[in-house]
Amino acid sequence: MPELPEVEVVRQTLAAAVVGRQVERVVVKRPDVVRVESIPQPTRSRGLSGVLLDQQEMVEVQRHGKQLALIGAVRGAVCVHLGMSGGLRVAEEVRPRWEPHTHVVWHLRGGGAVAFRDARRFGGVWTFPDEAALRTRRWSRLGPDALQITSGQLHGALSRTRRHLKAALLDQGLVAGLGNIYVDELLFAVGLHPRKVAATITRIECSRLVRAMRRLLSRAIAAGGSTLRDYADADGRAGGFQRQHRVYGRGGQMCVRCRRNLATETVAGRTTVACPSCQEGAVG
DNA sequence: AGGATAGCCTGCGGGC
DNA sequence: TGCCCGCAGGCTATCC
């Protein structure tokens, strides 16, 4: 469920708590959630901790699409992907409610800790020698970030595929950051049907799509993201954007625009809600 | 080759 | 009340 807005809110709240702080000790409770992409020689002897920013000052928390990265002052970049059920939490200590499924804990010098928790383990942690390696080996597979992509870039990507528009927008290799919630909200906002063929989107439609995408994601970030079940930021605060959803989770209810019933169907293997009269261009 | 789909994994809500 | 089933979904692997 964490999509770009939720991940960005986690990034901001996490950065406020950890930038400038030094990692004193790393506890890995479930080693299999940590994927070591390459092992710098000097740290090999310290095992997993050595590649998880142990003894490093954290200088930055970055985000690309739905992925986060903790950057060490001297070396080390740790990519955290929250997947569906993942979360990062800052606390003086890991609370009992957070104990189950907590896989990695970074204890900070001077007190406090950051915990990575992920019940379903669709997410994980990937370690790299530095930021450049993270970008080359992992983030290079992602398309431009949804808040940065230009209309020209998106139109170029969409024009090359006959997939459904929704499937294309969910493809992180085309544009990074959208998930099921925000794609449905976006397509309703611009009045395009999820089952429109991606390549039929005109430059003008794509321009509207990109403007609506920036507006939607920015408003969601400002609202603290969408909390459906248990999403919260790094300080444990829930978001409020779910109250502004116009189609997601509202199948069968009234369209806020035309008052007809919203339809639920499966598109790109995902539950999809759209208004049959306000969103045009469906095929097959 | 590219697109659709299954499977990973756990929690939770609905129905009986 | 309690149990079981199905669904939720980001991403990778596999099939078509």
Side-chain angles (χ1 to χ4, degrees), chain A residues 81 84 120 122 172 248 270-271:
Chain A
H81 187 197
M84 162 60 189
R120 278 171 241 191
F122 285 5
Q172 303 297 297
Y248 181 86
R270 304 266 192 273
T271 298

mmCIF file of all heavy atoms in Angstrom, chain A residues 81 84 120 122 172 248 270-271, chain C residues 6-13:
data_model
loop_
_atom_site.group_PDB
_atom_site.id
_atom_site.type_symbol
_atom_site.label_atom_id
_atom_site.label_comp_id
_atom_site.label_asym_id
_atom_site.label_seq_id
_atom_site.Cartn_x
_atom_site.Cartn_y
_atom_site.Cartn_z
ATOM 1 N N HIS A 81 12.838 -0.975 0.616
ATOM 2 C CA HIS A 81 11.595 -1.009 -0.132
ATOM 3 C C HIS A 81 10.510 -1.518 0.817
ATOM 4 O O HIS A 81 10.640 -2.602 1.372
ATOM 5 C CB HIS A 81 11.738 -1.926 -1.355
ATOM 6 C CG HIS A 81 10.552 -1.864 -2.254
ATOM 7 N ND1 HIS A 81 10.282 -2.801 -3.198
ATOM 8 C CD2 HIS A 81 9.542 -0.978 -2.315
ATOM 9 C CE1 HIS A 81 9.163 -2.491 -3.827
ATOM 10 N NE2 HIS A 81 8.703 -1.393 -3.302
ATOM 11 N N MET A 84 4.384 -3.999 0.445
ATOM 12 C CA MET A 84 2.970 -3.779 0.731
ATOM 13 C C MET A 84 2.729 -3.453 2.194
ATOM 14 O O MET A 84 1.963 -2.571 2.544
ATOM 15 C CB MET A 84 2.211 -5.046 0.320
ATOM 16 C CG MET A 84 0.845 -5.183 0.908
ATOM 17 S SD MET A 84 -0.233 -3.846 0.443
ATOM 18 C CE MET A 84 -1.606 -4.213 1.522
ATOM 19 N N ARG A 120 4.458 -8.966 5.649
ATOM 20 C CA ARG A 120 4.329 -9.851 4.481
ATOM 21 C C ARG A 120 5.620 -10.086 3.740
ATOM 22 O O ARG A 120 5.684 -10.933 2.866
ATOM 23 C CB ARG A 120 3.271 -9.298 3.535
ATOM 24 C CG ARG A 120 1.892 -9.701 3.999
ATOM 25 C CD ARG A 120 0.839 -8.984 3.214
ATOM 26 N NE ARG A 120 0.053 -8.189 4.134
ATOM 27 C CZ ARG A 120 -1.075 -7.595 3.801
ATOM 28 N NH1 ARG A 120 -1.523 -7.674 2.583
ATOM 29 N NH2 ARG A 120 -1.739 -6.925 4.692
ATOM 30 N N PHE A 122 7.041 -8.497 1.409
ATOM 31 C CA PHE A 122 7.123 -8.175 -0.016
ATOM 32 C C PHE A 122 8.198 -7.122 -0.217
ATOM 33 O O PHE A 122 8.635 -6.870 -1.331
ATOM 34 C CB PHE A 122 5.793 -7.620 -0.529
ATOM 35 C CG PHE A 122 4.719 -8.649 -0.706
ATOM 36 C CD1 PHE A 122 4.917 -9.964 -0.321
ATOM 37 C CD2 PHE A 122 3.501 -8.315 -1.262
ATOM 38 C CE1 PHE A 122 3.931 -10.921 -0.481
ATOM 39 C CE2 PHE A 122 2.507 -9.265 -1.434
ATOM 40 C CZ PHE A 122 2.717 -10.571 -1.038
ATOM 41 N N GLN A 172 6.665 0.132 -12.918
ATOM 42 C CA GLN A 172 7.665 1.010 -12.312
ATOM 43 C C GLN A 172 8.827 1.304 -13.253
ATOM 44 O O GLN A 172 9.571 2.258 -13.054
ATOM 45 C CB GLN A 172 8.182 0.408 -11.001
ATOM 46 C CG GLN A 172 7.070 0.119 -9.991
ATOM 47 C CD GLN A 172 6.351 1.375 -9.559
ATOM 48 O OE1 GLN A 172 6.936 2.271 -8.963
ATOM 49 N NE2 GLN A 172 5.049 1.451 -9.843
ATOM 50 N N TYR A 248 -11.110 4.984 -5.407
ATOM 51 C CA TYR A 248 -10.514 3.814 -4.764
ATOM 52 C C TYR A 248 -11.359 3.385 -3.556
ATOM 53 O O TYR A 248 -11.676 4.202 -2.684
ATOM 54 C CB TYR A 248 -9.081 4.103 -4.311
ATOM 55 C CG TYR A 248 -8.443 2.901 -3.664
ATOM 56 C CD1 TYR A 248 -7.813 1.929 -4.430
ATOM 57 C CD2 TYR A 248 -8.515 2.706 -2.293
ATOM 58 C CE1 TYR A 248 -7.264 0.800 -3.843
ATOM 59 C CE2 TYR A 248 -7.977 1.588 -1.697
ATOM 60 C CZ TYR A 248 -7.352 0.636 -2.481
ATOM 61 O OH TYR A 248 -6.823 -0.480 -1.892
ATOM 62 N N ARG A 270 -5.527 -6.173 -11.132
ATOM 63 C CA ARG A 270 -5.812 -5.451 -9.893
ATOM 64 C C ARG A 270 -7.286 -5.049 -9.832
ATOM 65 O O ARG A 270 -7.881 -4.711 -10.851
ATOM 66 C CB ARG A 270 -5.002 -4.158 -9.819
ATOM 67 C CG ARG A 270 -3.533 -4.339 -9.945
ATOM 68 C CD ARG A 270 -2.883 -4.444 -8.589
ATOM 69 N NE ARG A 270 -1.447 -4.332 -8.730
ATOM 70 C CZ ARG A 270 -0.671 -5.372 -8.969
ATOM 71 N NH1 ARG A 270 -1.191 -6.566 -9.099
ATOM 72 N NH2 ARG A 270 0.616 -5.220 -9.083
ATOM 73 N N THR A 271 -7.830 -5.030 -8.636
ATOM 74 C CA THR A 271 -9.166 -4.485 -8.452
ATOM 75 C C THR A 271 -9.133 -3.016 -8.864
ATOM 76 O O THR A 271 -8.280 -2.253 -8.413
ATOM 77 C CB THR A 271 -9.594 -4.610 -6.979
ATOM 78 O OG1 THR A 271 -9.620 -5.993 -6.638
ATOM 79 C CG2 THR A 271 -10.974 -4.015 -6.766
ATOM 80 P P DG C 6 -11.969 -19.604 -0.954
ATOM 81 O OP1 DG C 6 -12.856 -20.253 -1.925
ATOM 82 O OP2 DG C 6 -10.558 -20.030 -0.809
ATOM 83 O "O5'" DG C 6 -12.000 -18.043 -1.214
ATOM 84 C "C5'" DG C 6 -13.106 -17.271 -0.752
ATOM 85 C "C4'" DG C 6 -12.705 -15.814 -0.708
ATOM 86 O "O4'" DG C 6 -12.003 -15.530 0.530
ATOM 87 C "C3'" DG C 6 -11.761 -15.403 -1.826
ATOM 88 O "O3'" DG C 6 -12.131 -14.108 -2.262
ATOM 89 C "C2'" DG C 6 -10.388 -15.388 -1.160
ATOM 90 C "C1'" DG C 6 -10.757 -14.924 0.240
ATOM 91 N N9 DG C 6 -9.813 -15.313 1.285
ATOM 92 C C8 DG C 6 -9.109 -16.487 1.382
ATOM 93 N N7 DG C 6 -8.346 -16.549 2.444
ATOM 94 C C5 DG C 6 -8.572 -15.338 3.087
ATOM 95 C C6 DG C 6 -8.033 -14.830 4.296
ATOM 96 O O6 DG C 6 -7.219 -15.364 5.062
ATOM 97 N N1 DG C 6 -8.526 -13.566 4.593
ATOM 98 C C2 DG C 6 -9.427 -12.878 3.811
ATOM 99 N N2 DG C 6 -9.781 -11.675 4.240
ATOM 100 N N3 DG C 6 -9.941 -13.341 2.695
ATOM 101 C C4 DG C 6 -9.470 -14.574 2.389
ATOM 102 P P DC C 7 -11.690 -13.613 -3.705
ATOM 103 O OP1 DC C 7 -12.899 -13.523 -4.545
ATOM 104 O OP2 DC C 7 -10.510 -14.395 -4.141
ATOM 105 O "O5'" DC C 7 -11.201 -12.141 -3.366
ATOM 106 C "C5'" DC C 7 -11.870 -11.379 -2.376
ATOM 107 C "C4'" DC C 7 -10.887 -10.497 -1.656
ATOM 108 O "O4'" DC C 7 -10.135 -11.266 -0.697
ATOM 109 C "C3'" DC C 7 -9.854 -9.844 -2.580
ATOM 110 O "O3'" DC C 7 -9.923 -8.448 -2.420
ATOM 111 C "C2'" DC C 7 -8.510 -10.390 -2.102
ATOM 112 C "C1'" DC C 7 -8.816 -10.759 -0.661
ATOM 113 N N1 DC C 7 -7.935 -11.801 -0.065
ATOM 114 C C2 DC C 7 -7.328 -11.562 1.173
ATOM 115 O O2 DC C 7 -7.541 -10.488 1.744
ATOM 116 N N3 DC C 7 -6.543 -12.515 1.723
ATOM 117 C C4 DC C 7 -6.348 -13.673 1.072
ATOM 118 N N4 DC C 7 -5.561 -14.584 1.650
ATOM 119 C C5 DC C 7 -6.949 -13.934 -0.192
ATOM 120 C C6 DC C 7 -7.731 -12.980 -0.723
ATOM 121 P P DA C 8 -9.462 -7.472 -3.603
ATOM 122 O OP1 DA C 8 -10.587 -6.589 -3.911
ATOM 123 O OP2 DA C 8 -8.832 -8.284 -4.673
ATOM 124 O "O5'" DA C 8 -8.311 -6.623 -2.925
ATOM 125 C "C5'" DA C 8 -8.515 -6.014 -1.654
ATOM 126 C "C4'" DA C 8 -7.189 -5.818 -0.986
ATOM 127 O "O4'" DA C 8 -6.795 -7.050 -0.353
ATOM 128 C "C3'" DA C 8 -6.058 -5.513 -1.969
ATOM 129 O "O3'" DA C 8 -5.907 -4.106 -2.096
ATOM 130 C "C2'" DA C 8 -4.828 -6.135 -1.310
ATOM 131 C "C1'" DA C 8 -5.381 -7.076 -0.255
ATOM 132 N N9 DA C 8 -4.983 -8.464 -0.416
ATOM 133 C C8 DA C 8 -5.176 -9.272 -1.508
ATOM 134 N N7 DA C 8 -4.734 -10.497 -1.358
ATOM 135 C C5 DA C 8 -4.203 -10.493 -0.076
ATOM 136 C C6 DA C 8 -3.567 -11.485 0.692
ATOM 137 N N6 DA C 8 -3.359 -12.730 0.259
ATOM 138 N N1 DA C 8 -3.157 -11.150 1.931
ATOM 139 C C2 DA C 8 -3.363 -9.899 2.371
ATOM 140 N N3 DA C 8 -3.954 -8.880 1.743
ATOM 141 C C4 DA C 8 -4.355 -9.251 0.509
ATOM 142 P P DG C 9 -5.603 -3.485 -3.453
ATOM 143 O OP1 DG C 9 -5.910 -2.053 -3.273
ATOM 144 O OP2 DG C 9 -6.212 -4.261 -4.521
ATOM 145 O "O5'" DG C 9 -4.025 -3.661 -3.556
ATOM 146 C "C5'" DG C 9 -3.185 -3.071 -2.575
ATOM 147 C "C4'" DG C 9 -1.815 -3.676 -2.695
ATOM 148 O "O4'" DG C 9 -1.862 -5.053 -2.293
ATOM 149 C "C3'" DG C 9 -1.271 -3.668 -4.145
ATOM 150 O "O3'" DG C 9 0.076 -3.219 -4.131
ATOM 151 C "C2'" DG C 9 -1.305 -5.121 -4.540
ATOM 152 C "C1'" DG C 9 -1.070 -5.783 -3.193
ATOM 153 N N9 DG C 9 -1.420 -7.195 -3.160
ATOM 154 C C8 DG C 9 -2.130 -7.891 -4.090
ATOM 155 N N7 DG C 9 -2.256 -9.157 -3.821
ATOM 156 C C5 DG C 9 -1.586 -9.312 -2.618
ATOM 157 C C6 DG C 9 -1.369 -10.462 -1.817
ATOM 158 O O6 DG C 9 -1.749 -11.599 -2.035
ATOM 159 N N1 DG C 9 -0.644 -10.174 -0.678
ATOM 160 C C2 DG C 9 -0.171 -8.931 -0.339
ATOM 161 N N2 DG C 9 0.514 -8.825 0.792
ATOM 162 N N3 DG C 9 -0.364 -7.836 -1.072
ATOM 163 C C4 DG C 9 -1.075 -8.103 -2.192
ATOM 164 P P DG C 10 0.436 -2.006 -5.059
ATOM 165 O OP1 DG C 10 0.090 -0.797 -4.311
ATOM 166 O OP2 DG C 10 -0.073 -2.179 -6.426
ATOM 167 O "O5'" DG C 10 2.021 -2.166 -5.104
ATOM 168 C "C5'" DG C 10 2.777 -1.979 -3.919
ATOM 169 C "C4'" DG C 10 4.166 -2.552 -4.105
ATOM 170 O "O4'" DG C 10 4.121 -3.990 -3.926
ATOM 171 C "C3'" DG C 10 4.792 -2.335 -5.475
ATOM 172 O "O3'" DG C 10 6.202 -2.211 -5.282
ATOM 173 C "C2'" DG C 10 4.450 -3.603 -6.247
ATOM 174 C "C1'" DG C 10 4.438 -4.657 -5.150
ATOM 175 N N9 DG C 10 3.398 -5.672 -5.308
ATOM 176 C C8 DG C 10 2.119 -5.496 -5.752
ATOM 177 N N7 DG C 10 1.418 -6.592 -5.744
ATOM 178 C C5 DG C 10 2.288 -7.560 -5.254
ATOM 179 C C6 DG C 10 2.089 -8.935 -5.011
ATOM 180 O O6 DG C 10 1.068 -9.600 -5.189
ATOM 181 N N1 DG C 10 3.232 -9.544 -4.511
ATOM 182 C C2 DG C 10 4.419 -8.895 -4.259
ATOM 183 N N2 DG C 10 5.403 -9.628 -3.780
ATOM 184 N N3 DG C 10 4.614 -7.600 -4.476
ATOM 185 C C4 DG C 10 3.513 -7.003 -4.979
ATOM 186 P P DC C 11 7.130 -1.904 -6.521
ATOM 187 O OP1 DC C 11 8.306 -1.227 -5.939
ATOM 188 O OP2 DC C 11 6.356 -1.276 -7.592
ATOM 189 O "O5'" DC C 11 7.606 -3.344 -6.998
ATOM 190 C "C5'" DC C 11 8.488 -4.080 -6.154
ATOM 191 C "C4'" DC C 11 8.512 -5.514 -6.579
ATOM 192 O "O4'" DC C 11 7.186 -6.056 -6.619
ATOM 193 C "C3'" DC C 11 9.103 -5.780 -7.967
ATOM 194 O "O3'" DC C 11 10.370 -6.365 -7.784
ATOM 195 C "C2'" DC C 11 8.110 -6.742 -8.631
ATOM 196 C "C1'" DC C 11 7.240 -7.179 -7.453
ATOM 197 N N1 DC C 11 5.868 -7.556 -7.835
ATOM 198 C C2 DC C 11 5.433 -8.864 -7.589
ATOM 199 O O2 DC C 11 6.217 -9.661 -7.082
ATOM 200 N N3 DC C 11 4.165 -9.215 -7.912
ATOM 201 C C4 DC C 11 3.336 -8.316 -8.459
ATOM 202 N N4 DC C 11 2.103 -8.699 -8.751
ATOM 203 C C5 DC C 11 3.757 -6.976 -8.711
ATOM 204 C C6 DC C 11 5.023 -6.637 -8.392
ATOM 205 P P DT C 12 11.342 -6.555 -9.056
ATOM 206 O OP1 DT C 12 12.615 -5.939 -8.656
ATOM 207 O OP2 DT C 12 10.658 -6.150 -10.292
ATOM 208 O "O5'" DT C 12 11.535 -8.149 -9.121
ATOM 209 C "C5'" DT C 12 11.586 -8.912 -7.932
ATOM 210 C "C4'" DT C 12 11.322 -10.366 -8.258
ATOM 211 O "O4'" DT C 12 9.902 -10.579 -8.415
ATOM 212 C "C3'" DT C 12 11.979 -10.861 -9.557
ATOM 213 O "O3'" DT C 12 12.625 -12.092 -9.288
ATOM 214 C "C2'" DT C 12 10.826 -10.992 -10.536
ATOM 215 C "C1'" DT C 12 9.660 -11.303 -9.603
ATOM 216 N N1 DT C 12 8.333 -10.869 -10.107
ATOM 217 C C2 DT C 12 7.268 -11.744 -10.007
ATOM 218 O O2 DT C 12 7.372 -12.860 -9.540
ATOM 219 N N3 DT C 12 6.066 -11.252 -10.471
ATOM 220 C C4 DT C 12 5.836 -10.006 -11.020
ATOM 221 O O4 DT C 12 4.729 -9.690 -11.398
ATOM 222 C C5 DT C 12 6.991 -9.137 -11.092
ATOM 223 C C7 DT C 12 6.849 -7.771 -11.666
ATOM 224 C C6 DT C 12 8.167 -9.604 -10.637
ATOM 225 P P DA C 13 13.312 -12.913 -10.461
ATOM 226 O OP1 DA C 13 14.486 -13.549 -9.853
ATOM 227 O OP2 DA C 13 13.440 -12.071 -11.656
ATOM 228 O "O5'" DA C 13 12.245 -14.053 -10.770
ATOM 229 C "C5'" DA C 13 11.840 -14.951 -9.744
ATOM 230 C "C4'" DA C 13 10.915 -15.988 -10.328
ATOM 231 O "O4'" DA C 13 9.682 -15.353 -10.731
ATOM 232 C "C3'" DA C 13 11.446 -16.700 -11.577
ATOM 233 O "O3'" DA C 13 11.112 -18.076 -11.511
ATOM 234 C "C2'" DA C 13 10.766 -15.978 -12.735
ATOM 235 C "C1'" DA C 13 9.433 -15.577 -12.104
ATOM 236 N N9 DA C 13 8.891 -14.327 -12.646
ATOM 237 C C8 DA C 13 9.569 -13.181 -12.930
ATOM 238 N N7 DA C 13 8.807 -12.211 -13.392
ATOM 239 C C5 DA C 13 7.541 -12.771 -13.412
ATOM 240 C C6 DA C 13 6.282 -12.262 -13.804
ATOM 241 N N6 DA C 13 6.103 -11.024 -14.257
ATOM 242 N N1 DA C 13 5.217 -13.085 -13.694
ATOM 243 C C2 DA C 13 5.400 -14.326 -13.227
ATOM 244 N N3 DA C 13 6.528 -14.912 -12.836
ATOM 245 C C4 DA C 13 7.572 -14.068 -12.956
#
